[in-house]
């Protein structure tokens, strides 16, 4: 049983369900639940649904303190770059308090933020900064690409006893898709093969999954069969599924909305260059944003970002290479 | 607190007729620019992308402040930055072209509405991240102090921004180093959709936000930001203090934002538009909004100038018309300007 | 300001003899612990690594504060955190073993001096990054509020920390949400090597740091932190306020750190040691340090208890001896405890 | 002509020389120049040498504002993790203001901080966080490993018209080495071959260069000739020199003090897996910190971090692999 839902809706449904399930889950952030008409507020009251000032360090730091003393806070941050003013709490407090205490405390909290605002939001609102939070021991990072994953990863995030950064892609907010009815959990660290294929493995997250699937479709017409994998969580990262796919295809293209040297793509490439090297028959190619901040004007922004054509070109280049090597 | 003083007649004598008319002229130019921007969302849907914030309602506060400015003083507003460069003499055409993402834009289409910059006019740029530009402003003041140029800095930011760590850290440092900067806390009653009383402990307690100055042992004052002359008066004192090496001051300028926080945040390709003000759209409080409209600084200041015989009705009409034509031309210029070449996107990353 | 009141005799009547002796006992236990830690740098060079911060001088402030505590209230200090768990009943042996990096340490050798934690005793952990734990403390208060447990939180932080954005953001939020927390600004006159007058605008202007409370419309008071009873009095009021749902207060407790900020920062393998206090080592101001020594809260409170006939000299000696023996045992325990197994290092990353 | 200097000293000398050369260079930070006896203060006065409170966001933000209006600030931050409270200024302000203005302003500033405190500083002071700042368009990152590089990179950083994060390794502070006399500049984006070799390329920065050189020395006895390359700046990254070396050696070992998925090693691996793939005859191996925060106690800390033996083992594994492939 499943029902069609929007990506944005799916997250909200998960939060509501989890708040109904567990009285320790609380939810707050800026510019939310302003009036008594707010449905969440009506359901859960001002004690559990709160408005915060523009104070990300305090908002997140308070979540950390609440988490180590028994609550499970969800903080609505709206745009991932606003987390930059509070990065110490995210990188250096939340994921380390448990470890430093020798395992005495746990820090269950969810930091929810949109990202990838490729819609003219310009230099400070449109970048992808997940690379800063990936690979931090103790911190988990989820990036759903479908409504079902949006719901299942949110539920997993809320139930996780560790700090989780949950990043949802702005451009996917209204996308619809089937979401299983009732409790639905997408476990962390399990990549999803969004499309099976034999000639090349494409790994992508968020909006880039959609673009990669479109490119894969396009490539079918050229006789190229692409497998598209979405790791769904960048931390933990399911290297195994990716390597397994590369074992089959021999080629890897990584698609990432971030600039290449600050991308998740680079980390995945490194893992495969170590653990899947023997299966590779062509260079690992990264399709990323060009090395600039995101510009305002549409033609500039489009030029900068990865798209279907760039992905297809990259795939052709490695498939060609493969062909060349076989020849 | 000068909060509820009536229109500051006593100050008019300090300012000559030309200066008073200059103030009105800048106010109406700002209003016209913003009206043109707002209309763009209807008339040229999709032409402006991302997030655009307007200054209607802030005109008296901004122009009253900048009327105290010397020619080389720095001006550092937030992402809500259309008004300030207009007053500094930046071309409305280039500004509008920037908002339209065009090649002839002030920042060549790279910045957009939130990131105007005209360093030649002492307007070195803005930040879209709340509170961060407060530190940048103090940095400009540091330059002035280290180089002993006599410049001061006008630093504008919102009521909401005064809850960001950067605000507090910077004010302490500016006070400590006696940096020549005037901090203008623009209390327009809202941080985006949230009323100030819901997010500021001073406001919740019924205290003025200028009370935050006590945390830094600097002067703090609250002024009616709908009256350019009252604003002028307070800012002039703070500017004098800054110029004479005594350090910063905090001025809470109270007025009301007359448009919504910004255009609606929609998901492409859905077009965006300008929603109703949050008082109505979020809180259903039409009375609050109507009362604010009644305090609109522009008709109020115009009436003052007319009653003081500084401006006749027809002279005022001529100024209004001129501003309208200027902004019509700006829109025409923006529409005629080509989009940037895509390959430009990787320029300007490094100096 | 209660800044220079003499020893608060009037308060003694609120506290029974046992409680007064308890206060002294905790003070001397803290002092002995810290003296033992300090001696370790000479007696067992290399045994303690990284950075260690001592609480000598802070005893009256800490114990006077915690004397107002109910059994389940949270205690959230900074990296300068040896004193608080001792008062809460944490084993001195386990604490010392932690500082020695041993397997039997309170945090199994993972945390060290800066990161003690004993959540079972309502001491959930600390941060080494200045100011950040102030937000954590407010978070613990949020837990108490949401769950309606009646707990309050004692949040300790330094004069230096009150210049970090986290401090301001948190106090506004705590005031707004009326969180049950008491903020204790421990003004020990120095942030590391910098005197407070060189880094705090209030201090520079000769104003008390408690004035920062005005930025949040909460009570702010300055108290002589060398007198546990004066501290008790002010904190008790703030605690009462927190318990009754009225929200946070800011208490500036003024005392003097009697040791250097921390052990010297040397590059391995060079051994580290405890340098002289900065007043001498950096500023060459022996007089300042000597004057502070004369205000040492321990002999002062002991003299008070003796003059009030609460404690005889020999009873006092017995308490001092007991504390010394307890800490001798703690050192012996630490030295006897094995180092952790290396492979443990990858444990405890995830819950 | 050169003279022996300590690593820490070399940086200080550069700062002094540059401040003498250019009156626009200013220097401030916490806990510095407290008294009138301070030599820098004596030389340059309170106007140019200042004490700051514990306010990293303001300190760095003020540097940004000063830089766009004509100064060239150097901010002393002491430990790189203190930058986390001000990450927005570093990632989202300093490197973006020029771009967003369409090239109208420049942002010349240096953020100086120590890192890699592997001496019992525990969970929040000992981590390596350069991955957060690497690959951010507009931002440069320098990590000297020798006194000469410490001086030459500092001078280059101060003269650069862009924001530079200059990270010096705590454990190298007292290391001595020859530093050329007079003006000495190490250009950004030029890797240095610290030791030539033929069988394997080792890339490392900071303290890890020293450990890699020691491992290389050890390996000589086994007949393995290792080339050790220090990129010196992570941004810009000199991929070319590394690829050229891999072309010669066919094997790449990356050594990094950070955990693997938040390392510079991963980014370098990705670049080589794309641009040097054809030259590789063995997997790219990363020798990094294990996936945990840094623990306090010595045996735990040692276990976590890369060392000579781990590096040698990694080299042996790829050389073996190579041998196997050749066989
Ligand atoms: C650090 C950060 N958090 C949140 C935001 C989102 N945001 C943009 S403008 C704004 C409201 C700011 O309100 P105020 O400071 O009062 O200025 P106003 O817009 O009213 O002029 C918010 C929350 C942001 N840009 N930066
Ligand atoms: C954000 C940050 N900046 C700098 C430091 C380095 N540091 C550690 S303790 C300290 C002094 C803190 O002084 P204060 O808050 O007065 O507390 P005290 O040590 O006197 O108890 C500094 C600057 C840090 N840990 N975190
Ligand atoms: Mg506002
Ligand atoms: Mg202190």
């Amino acid at each position: 049983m499943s029902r069609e839902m929007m990506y944005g809706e799916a997250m909200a449904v998960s939060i509501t369900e989890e708040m109904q399930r567990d009285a320790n889950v609380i939810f707050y952030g800026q510019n939310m639940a302003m009036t008594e008409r707010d449905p969440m507020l009506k359901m859960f009251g001002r004690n559990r649904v709160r408005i915060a000032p523009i104070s990300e360090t305090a908002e997140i730091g308070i979540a950390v303190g609440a988490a180590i003393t028994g609550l499970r806070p969800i903080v609505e941050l709206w745009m991932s770059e606003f987390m930059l003013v509070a990065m110490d709490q995210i990188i250096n407090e939340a994921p380390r308090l448990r470890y430093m205490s020798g395992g005495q405390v746990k820090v269950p909290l969810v930091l929810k933020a949109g990202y990838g605002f490729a819609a003219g939001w310009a230099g400070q609102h449109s970048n992808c900064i997940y690379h800063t939070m990936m690979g931090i021991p103790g911190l988990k990072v989820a990036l759903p690409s479908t409504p079902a994953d949006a719901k299942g990863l949110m539920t997993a995030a809320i139930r996780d006893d560790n700090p989780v950064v949950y990043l949802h892609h702005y451009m996917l907010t209204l996308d619809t898709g089937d979401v299983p009815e009732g409790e639905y959990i997408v476990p962390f660290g399990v990549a999803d093969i969004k499309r099976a294929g034999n000639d090349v493995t494409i790994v992508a997250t968020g909006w880039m999954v959609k673009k990669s699937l479109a490119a894969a479709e396009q490539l079918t017409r050229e006789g190229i069969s692409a497998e598209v994998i979405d790791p769904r969580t960048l931390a933990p990262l399911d290297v195994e599924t990716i390597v397994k796919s590369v074992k089959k295809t021999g080629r890897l293209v990584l698609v990432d909305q971030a600039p290449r040297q600050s991308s998740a793509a680079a980390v995945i490439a490194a893992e495969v260059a170590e653990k899947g090297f023997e299966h590779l028959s062509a260079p690992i190619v990264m399709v990323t944003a060009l090395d600039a901040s995101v510009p305002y004007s549409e033609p500039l922004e489009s030029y900068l970002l990865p798209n279907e054509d760039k992905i297809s070109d990259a795939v052709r280049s490695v498939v060609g290479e493969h062909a060349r090597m076989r020849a | 607190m000068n909060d509820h003083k009536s229109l500051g007649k006593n100050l008019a004598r300090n300012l000559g007729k030309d200066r008073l008319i200059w103030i009105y002229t800048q106010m109406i130019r700002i209003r016209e620019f913003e009206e043109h921007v707002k209309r763009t969302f209807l008339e040229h849907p999709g032409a402006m992308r991302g997030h655009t914030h307007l200054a209607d309602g802030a005109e008296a506060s901004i122009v009253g402040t900048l009327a105290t400015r010397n020619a080389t003083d720095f001006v550092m507003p937030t992402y809500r930055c259309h008004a300030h460069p207009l007053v500094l003499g930046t071309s409305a055409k280039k500004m509008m072209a920037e908002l339209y993402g065009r090649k002839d834009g002030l920042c060549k289409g790279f910045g957009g509405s939130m990131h105007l910059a005209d360093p030649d006019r002492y307007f070195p740029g803005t930040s879209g991240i709340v509170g961060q530009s407060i530190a940048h402003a103090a940095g400009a003041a540091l330059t002035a102090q280290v180089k002993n140029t006599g410049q001061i800095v006008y630093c504008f930011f919102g009521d909401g921004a005064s809850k960001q760590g950067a605000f507090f850290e910077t004010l302490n440092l500016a006070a400590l180093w006696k940096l020549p900067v005037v901090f203008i806390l623009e209390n327009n009653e809202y941080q985006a959709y949230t009323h100030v009383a819901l997010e500021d402990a001073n406001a919740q307690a019924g205290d003025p936000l200028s009370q935050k100055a006590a945390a830094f042992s600097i002067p703090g004052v609250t002024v009616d930001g709908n009256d350019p002359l009252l604003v002028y008066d307070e800012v002039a004192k703070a500017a004098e203090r800054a110029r004479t090496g005594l350090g910063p001051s905090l001025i809470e300028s109270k007025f009301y934002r007359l448009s919504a926080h910004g255009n609606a945040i929609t998901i492409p390709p859905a077009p965006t538009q300008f929603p109703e003000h949050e008082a109505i759209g979020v809180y259903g409080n039409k009375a609050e909004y109507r009362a604010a409209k009644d305090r609109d600084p522009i008709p109020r200041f115009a009436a003052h100038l007319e009653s003081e015989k500084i401006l006749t009705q027809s002279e005022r009409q001529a100024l209004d018309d001129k501003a309208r034509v200027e902004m019509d031309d700006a829109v025409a210029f923006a529409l005629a300007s080509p989009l940037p070449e895509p390959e430009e996107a990787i320029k300007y990353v490094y100096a």
Side-chain angles (χ1 to χ4, degrees), chain A, chain B:
Chain A
M1 281 291 292
S2 72
R3 96 178 157 85
E4 191 163 276
M5 247 185 232
M6 285 186 295
Y7 177 93
E9 190 189 354
M11 299 185 278
V13 168
S14 166
I15 294 174
T16 304
E17 286 175 3
E18 292 306 301
M19 288 187 73
Q20 279 162 337
R21 182 176 167 272
D22 184 348
N24 290 324
V25 179
I26 61 165
F27 187 33
Y28 61 82
Q30 297 161 31
N31 293 301
M32 57 175 268
M34 267 94 53
T35 72
E36 303 307 317
R37 292 190 310 278
D38 181 85
M40 290 290 266
L41 192 54
K42 273 191 189 154
M43 227 177 302
F44 304 111
R46 249 309 155 238
N47 207 28
R48 293 178 63 200
V49 177
R50 297 178 181 226
I51 306 172
I54 317 178
S55 303
E56 284 81 2
T57 302
E59 294 175 71
I60 300 175
I62 285 174
V64 171
I68 59 175
T69 52
L71 292 180
R72 308 181 78 84
I74 307 170
V75 188
E76 172 62 77
L77 290 152
W78 297 112
M79 297 178 105
S80 67
E81 278 146 318
F82 304 157
M83 298 165 92
L84 288 170
V85 298
M87 215 57 181
D88 180 75
Q89 290 289 349
I90 302 168
I91 288 189
N92 217 17
E93 308 292 332
R96 308 216 194 271
L97 285 179
R98 172 180 178 73
Y99 186 79
M100 297 191 304
S101 77
Q104 294 184 87
V105 296
K106 59 181 188 185
V107 192
L109 61 88
V110 180
L111 305 179
K112 172 181 177 291
Y115 77 105
F117 288 68
W121 284 77
Q124 296 183 304
H125 289 79
S126 322
N127 301 286
C128 295
I129 59 158
Y130 33 73
H131 82 285
T132 61
M133 296 173 277
M134 195 181 168
I136 305 295
L139 188 63
K140 300 189 177 182
V141 181
L143 280 83
S145 69
T146 67
D149 289 346
K151 173 147 192 224
L153 289 171
M154 179 57 88
T155 303
I158 297 170
R159 298 197 191 173
D160 202 296
D161 275 341
N162 301 286
V164 177
V165 178
Y166 179 101
L167 299 173
H168 46 100
H169 202 292
Y170 175 66
M171 305 294 274
L172 299 176
T173 314
L174 304 180
D175 279 20
T176 53
D178 278 341
V179 177
E181 290 276 14
E183 181 174 288
Y184 179 60
I185 296 176
V186 173
F188 278 23
V190 181
D192 192 36
I193 300 174
K194 296 288 183 196
R195 183 187 199 284
N198 296 308
D199 297 328
V200 62
T201 303
I202 303 176
V203 178
T205 54
W207 196 32
M208 294 299 119
V209 173
K210 211 169 150 180
K211 298 206 177 289
S212 299
L213 287 170
E217 203 50 45
Q218 196 181 67
L219 290 161
T220 323
R221 280 172 251 141
E222 301 170 29
I224 298 171
S225 159
E227 179 145 306
V228 177
I229 299 183
D230 176 1
R232 300 197 288 197
T233 55
L234 290 179
L237 182 67
D238 181 0
V239 176
E240 208 183 308
T241 299
I242 298 168
V243 169
K244 218 170 118 190
S245 172
V246 171
K247 188 169 174 182
K248 176 172 64 172
T249 65
R251 282 148 293 184
L252 179 60
V253 170
L254 297 154
V255 187
D256 200 313
Q257 198 178 332
R260 59 190 277 136
Q261 293 183 354
S262 55
S263 65
V267 176
I268 299 169
E271 289 290 359
V272 176
E274 181 174 311
K275 297 193 181 128
F277 180 75
E278 50 182 336
H279 313 305
L280 285 168
S281 53
I284 299 174
V285 174
M286 294 191 280
V287 182
T288 66
L290 302 181
D291 283 320
S293 299
V294 183
Y296 169 65
S297 183
E298 204 281 326
L300 301 173
E301 187 193 69
S302 293
Y303 181 78
L304 199 85
L305 296 178
N307 60 30
E308 222 174 291
D309 288 343
K310 293 182 189 179
I311 300 167
S312 296
D313 283 351
V315 168
R316 284 185 204 107
S317 81
V318 292
V319 169
E321 181 116 359
H322 179 76
R324 189 176 58 72
M325 287 179 111
R326 266 191 301 204
Chain B
M1 291 200 0
N2 293 319
D3 215 333
H4 292 294
K5 267 194 204 153
S6 66
L7 226 62
K9 281 181 198 153
N10 54 326
L11 277 173
R13 65 169 172 255
N14 300 332
L15 292 167
K17 180 178 166 173
D18 287 357
R19 200 66 181 152
L20 292 169
I21 293 176
W22 178 87
I23 290 175
Y24 179 76
T25 306
Q26 302 314 315
M27 286 172 65
I28 193 67
R29 286 179 69 233
I30 295 168
R31 178 64 56 93
E32 278 300 330
F33 187 90
E34 299 297 46
E35 288 298 331
H36 280 71
V37 172
K38 206 165 165 179
R39 257 165 34 210
T40 299
F41 287 91
L42 287 172
E43 294 172 8
H44 308 287
M48 288 183 196
R49 314 176 71 226
H51 216 193
T52 301
H53 310 80
L54 307 181
D56 47 335
E59 296 91 346
S61 180
I62 293 169
V63 184
T65 296
L66 294 184
T68 69
R69 177 178 174 266
N70 286 352
T72 63
D73 292 334
F74 290 109
V75 178
M76 314 271 286
T78 68
Y79 49 84
R80 196 180 293 284
C81 60
H82 304 167
H84 314 76
L86 282 175
V87 179
L88 299 177
T90 301
S91 149
K93 287 180 178 169
K94 284 194 179 185
M95 288 173 57
M96 196 62 84
E98 184 62 29
L99 272 62
Y100 278 69
R102 304 303 166 111
K103 197 183 169 83
D104 300 303
L106 188 61
C107 303
K108 307 185 184 72
F110 282 66
S113 164
M114 291 197 276
H115 302 298
L116 299 179
D118 192 356
D120 292 343
R121 290 185 176 76
Y122 304 94
F123 171 47
T126 69
S127 173
I129 305 302
V130 166
Q132 305 307 303
S133 58
I134 303 174
H136 302 167
L142 179 60
T143 298
Q145 188 184 66
V146 168
K147 298 193 172 205
N148 197 16
T149 62
Q151 292 164 293
I152 70 166
V153 180
Y154 295 89
C155 171
F156 299 83
F157 55 90
D159 48 291
S162 71
K163 256 55 47 77
Q164 183 68 213
F167 162 77
F168 293 97
E169 292 190 2
T170 302
L171 266 73
N172 179 69
L173 237 169
L176 208 62
W177 289 358
K178 303 216 182 305
L179 295 178
V181 49
V182 180
F183 293 109
I184 298 127
L185 191 167
E186 300 183 307
N187 184 351
N188 60 9
E189 294 194 30
Y190 286 87
Q191 90 73 341
Y193 318 138
T194 304
H195 192 271
V196 64
L198 296 173
E199 58 103 17
D200 182 281
N202 292 140
Q204 192 192 50
D207 293 329
L209 274 64
S210 54
Q211 195 169 306
K212 298 183 200 300
F216 320 106
S217 295
I218 60 172
V221 66
T222 296
V223 64
D224 176 1
N226 284 318
D227 180 341
L229 304 181
L230 287 175
V231 171
Y232 178 91
D233 195 26
E234 288 303 339
V235 175
K237 279 186 254 168
E240 179 63 15
R241 204 178 123 83
R243 281 188 218 291
T244 50
L246 296 173
S249 309
L250 176 65
I251 294 170
E252 178 194 13
S253 177
K254 288 186 81 167
F255 55 85
Y256 197 89
R257 161 160 66 59
L258 290 171
S259 291
H261 170 64
N263 53 299
I265 300 179
T266 54
I267 313 296
T272 178
Q273 74 316 92
F274 240 88
E276 278 184 310
H277 189 280
E278 292 74 17
I280 303 168
V282 177
Y283 297 87
N285 190 345
K286 282 191 192 163
E288 174 187 304
Y289 186 74
R290 227 177 292 122
K293 268 283 198 198
D294 289 345
R295 296 191 307 268
D296 185 333
I298 289 186
R300 206 170 147 202
F301 189 54
H304 169 71
L305 294 182
E306 283 172 30
S307 79
E308 294 287 310
K309 310 275 185 261
I310 289 164
L311 206 59
T312 67
Q313 220 183 337
S314 68
E315 281 167 345
R316 179 198 167 187
Q317 192 59 55
L319 292 174
D320 292 3
D321 291 347
K322 200 172 158 212
R324 190 172 329 104
V325 170
E326 181 189 4
M327 303 314 161
D328 287 346
D329 289 351
V331 170
F333 177 83
L335 285 169
S337 173
L339 289 165
E341 299 301 322
E343 299 74 23
E344 295 271 299
I346 50 172
K347 270 195 180 173
Y348 311 124
V349 178
Y350 296 97

